[in-house]
Amino acid sequence: MKNYALITGSADRIGKAVAIHLAKQGYNLVLHYNSSKEKAQKVKDDIESGYSGLKVELLQINFLKENDFNQIFQDLKKKKITIEILVNCASDFIKSNFKEEGSELLDKEMTINFKIPYLLTKAFAKVYGKGNIINFVDTKVTKNSTVHLDYILSKKLLKDFTRISAVELAPDIRVNGIGPGLILPPEGEDESYLMNLAQNIPLKTIGNLEEILKAVQFILDSKFFTGQILYIDGGEHLV
Ligand SMILES: NC(=O)c1ccc[n+]([C@@H]2O[C@H](COP(=O)([O-])OP(=O)(O)OC[C@H]3O[C@@H](n4cnc5c(N)ncnc54)[C@H](OP(=O)(O)O)[C@@H]3O)[C@@H](O)[C@H]2O)c1
């Protein structure tokens, strides 16, 4: 029996797919969610009935509130939950530009997309001290033109933090990132929206969850691999 993997934002979409994939690999799970309680419960029920013997804990946290992650991990440890893999997947993806005034959105994007992975990484290193961290960034961290100004700034910081923590936390913790491109349409859009955008990228097609899961597995299997961002994006980071 393997130890636990904690996946933030795992009630739906990419986080859910990563959770189910890791369950298939035999990991017990801590499924973090914020507002999607019913969806998170369904993922837990499906995994527990589909993969007998696996243990699944639900962890509800709103990242916009004050949280003591050292304490949260200590409490999990007391329940004999040893987290071996931390996947920072939760995010907030909001359009913004230079015309908007104020810094409220910047605070929100920085908190959910950067500060929380930063704090979770520190707490993970302190309390567990060993394992793997995977940070979900975005292929758009390679760009300097954006309609998601605050989101992209927060993800750029997460990309650099991935590299810094890979150095600082080696050799006991490997830290890598995945930079998805056109994988799942944002809320309110369908696949045709992504297919249109795909005409501007080298491979002229869209990706899927399976491609993301291959990257997750490659990172976990590759013991000589740290501090890198795997762009799963049809070459979008190049253009
Ligand atoms: N989808 C893509 O094609 C794509 C492309 C590029 C990059 N990415 C990156 O890949 C990762 C996964 O993408 P996704 O589209 O699956 O993510 P998503 O649906 O945008 O968000 C995942 C989860 O984040 C959680 N979250 C949002 N605000 C929160 C808060 N205040 N506190 C705690 N949790 C909060 C939500 O949980 P609840 O539902 O429980 O509230 C949500 O289900 C993200 O980091 C994203 O930036 C994705």
Side-chain angles (χ1 to χ4, degrees), residues 72-84:
I72 289 168
F73 283 159
Q74 291 290 2
D75 291 346
L76 290 172
K77 208 173 177 184
K78 273 187 211 139
K79 293 205 277 181
K80 306 236 173 313
I81 291 175
T82 302
I83 298 172
E84 189 179 305

Side-chain angles (χ1 to χ4, degrees), residues 27-232:
Y27 288 95
N28 296 310
L29 300 173
V30 179
L31 301 178
H32 160 267
Y33 69 97
N34 177 31
S35 57
S36 302
K37 185 176 182 190
E38 278 169 27
K39 285 183 182 173
Q41 184 64 49
K42 170 124 180 36
V43 178
K44 173 178 159 72
D45 293 346
D46 288 352
I47 290 172
E48 284 176 341
S49 58
Y51 305 93
S52 77
L54 287 192
K55 294 186 199 121
V56 182
E57 287 272 322
L58 293 182
L59 183 65
Q60 194 282 330
I61 308 175
N62 181 352
F63 288 155
L64 292 173
K65 296 195 170 153
E66 272 304 309
N67 293 291
D68 182 344
F69 293 115
N70 282 329
Q71 192 59 51
I72 289 168
F73 283 159
Q74 291 290 2
D75 291 346
L76 290 172
K77 208 173 177 184
K78 273 187 211 139
K79 293 205 277 181
K80 306 236 173 313
I81 291 175
T82 302
I83 298 172
E84 189 179 305
I85 300 172
L86 166 64
V87 183
N88 285 306
C89 194
S91 88
D92 196 43
F93 179 58
I94 307 274
K95 278 194 173 156
S96 63
N97 59 38
F98 276 85
K99 288 187 189 128
E100 280 134 29
E101 289 186 16
S103 61
E104 214 170 290
L105 183 60
L106 179 67
D107 287 345
K108 186 168 179 246
E109 299 301 275
M110 281 292 174
T111 300
I112 297 173
N113 300 329
F114 168 66
K115 188 174 164 191
I116 293 297
Y118 164 91
L119 292 174
L120 282 169
T121 296
K122 282 179 147 183
F124 177 75
K126 185 169 178 180
V127 176
Y128 290 110
K130 211 166 149 14
N132 254 289
I133 299 176
I134 300 177
N135 292 324
F136 272 85
V137 296
D138 190 309
T139 185
K140 295 188 197 74
V141 296
T142 57
K143 312 283 179 258
N144 294 305
S145 168
T146 178
V147 291
H148 299 94
L149 175 65
D150 302 270
Y151 166 84
I152 283 305
L153 284 171
S154 65
K155 290 285 190 179
K156 278 178 181 270
L157 216 46
L158 182 59
K159 176 199 70 182
D160 278 349
F161 181 62
T162 300
R163 292 178 174 159
I164 291 172
S165 35
V167 175
E168 294 294 323
L169 301 179
D172 294 325
I173 300 177
R174 290 192 295 113
V175 189
N176 289 287
I178 294 177
L182 301 171
I183 301 291
L184 292 178
E187 199 143 322
E189 303 286 358
D190 61 13
E191 213 172 278
S192 64
Y193 168 83
L194 294 186
M195 279 314 281
N196 276 338
L197 295 176
Q199 299 322 303
N200 302 320
I201 68 170
L203 293 184
K204 302 224 179 306
T205 188
I206 63 173
N208 54 48
L209 292 172
E210 211 38 58
E211 299 302 318
I212 297 290
L213 301 179
K214 284 187 219 164
V216 168
Q217 198 53 44
F218 173 79
I219 289 171
L220 296 178
D221 288 343
S222 306
K223 312 289 182 218
F224 201 45
F225 187 80
T226 197
Q228 305 224 41
I229 310 293
L230 284 178
Y231 292 107
I232 309 300

